[in-house]
Amino acid sequence: MIHEELEAAINEQINQELTASYNYLGMSTYFDVENLDGFANWMMMQSDEEKVHAMRLLQYLQDRGGKVVLNTIPSPETGYSNPLQVFKKALDTEIENTRSINKLYELALKLNDHATKSHLQWFLDEQVEEEKSIEDIIALLDRIGDDSAGLLYLNDKLGSRKAEAEA
Ligand code: FEO
């Protein structure tokens, strides 16, 4: 049976992952309206990944005899000024997520819950990847500036992102 403090913290993390999923879905709709299908695809894949993260935690909590509590998820933002603004918001989301995974890990450490520590290791590694991939896109968008040919090149590139199971 999992400690109740960890149960509450994992439930919070499930909500955070689902919120991220919903926010990325909102970003995907923004790109779709802007006719940037590749960007929209990338954000849709990102949204799907966050849902998978939530499900990993949900399944783990259930396996440990915890009770899953599904809290409210606010409506996502869909109005942005440009792709750079969207990806900066995405980076903020990931930085915040890294912070909360770290906090969760520290709680598991404090409570000597080795199984939870082990489960969270995957998330720690994943956060490094997620922050890096978004930082790379921000760096490209910075270089592209107002160059529409560059933007369309990146749009093509991001359109090739596949779901994790397919990749
Ligand atoms: Fe589930 Fe992007 O962290």
Side-chain angles (χ1 to χ4, degrees):
M1 193 72 181
I2 198 156
H3 192 287
E4 62 183 22
E5 248 186 278
L6 259 179
E7 180 186 67
I10 291 173
N11 271 315
E12 249 180 67
Q13 189 62 37
I14 290 170
N15 183 266
Q16 184 152 340
E17 303 285 353
L18 289 173
T19 302
S21 174
Y22 212 28
N23 285 340
Y24 287 130
L25 194 59
M27 291 173 185
S28 180
T29 67
Y30 160 77
F31 284 121
D32 186 71
V33 169
E34 294 294 310
N35 293 312
L36 290 167
D37 294 358
F39 282 90
N41 169 69
W42 194 95
M43 281 298 174
M44 189 69 82
M45 297 298 114
Q46 187 70 11
S47 172
D48 288 350
E49 272 197 16
E50 298 301 346
K51 174 138 186 271
V52 170
H53 297 173
M55 293 309 292
R56 270 180 178 254
L57 288 164
L58 182 147
Q59 192 61 58
Y60 176 73
L61 188 53
Q62 287 179 335
D63 288 349
R64 291 290 308 277
K67 183 175 181 337
V68 170
V69 178
L70 296 171
N71 282 317
T72 307
I73 302 169
S75 291
E77 177 69 56
T78 55
Y80 294 96
S81 309
N82 53 54
L84 185 58
Q85 189 199 19
V86 181
F87 276 87
K88 283 186 170 169
K89 171 88 190 288
L91 184 59
D92 288 346
T93 299
E94 292 308 328
I95 289 170
E96 182 51 39
N97 211 26
T98 300
R99 195 176 295 139
S100 74
I101 294 280
N102 283 340
K103 267 178 64 185
L104 197 51
Y105 190 88
E106 283 157 20
L107 182 62
L109 202 62
K110 189 182 94 178
L111 296 171
N112 281 323
D113 188 327
H114 302 295
T116 299
K117 273 166 35 193
S118 168
H119 191 73
L120 291 175
Q121 190 61 53
W122 181 90
F123 284 86
L124 292 172
D125 297 340
E126 176 73 4
Q127 282 311 117
V128 174
E129 284 298 311
E130 298 234 305
E131 284 191 30
K132 182 189 167 0
S133 66
I134 293 173
E135 280 165 356
D136 287 350
I137 294 169
I138 287 175
L140 285 172
L141 284 169
D142 266 333
R143 288 185 76 166
I144 286 167
D146 291 331
D147 172 16
S148 54
L151 190 66
L152 292 178
Y153 166 77
L154 185 55
N155 184 56
D156 270 359
K157 205 164 129 71
L158 298 185
S160 65
R161 180 176 182 182
K162 292 188 169 52
E164 231 168 49
E166 282 177 67

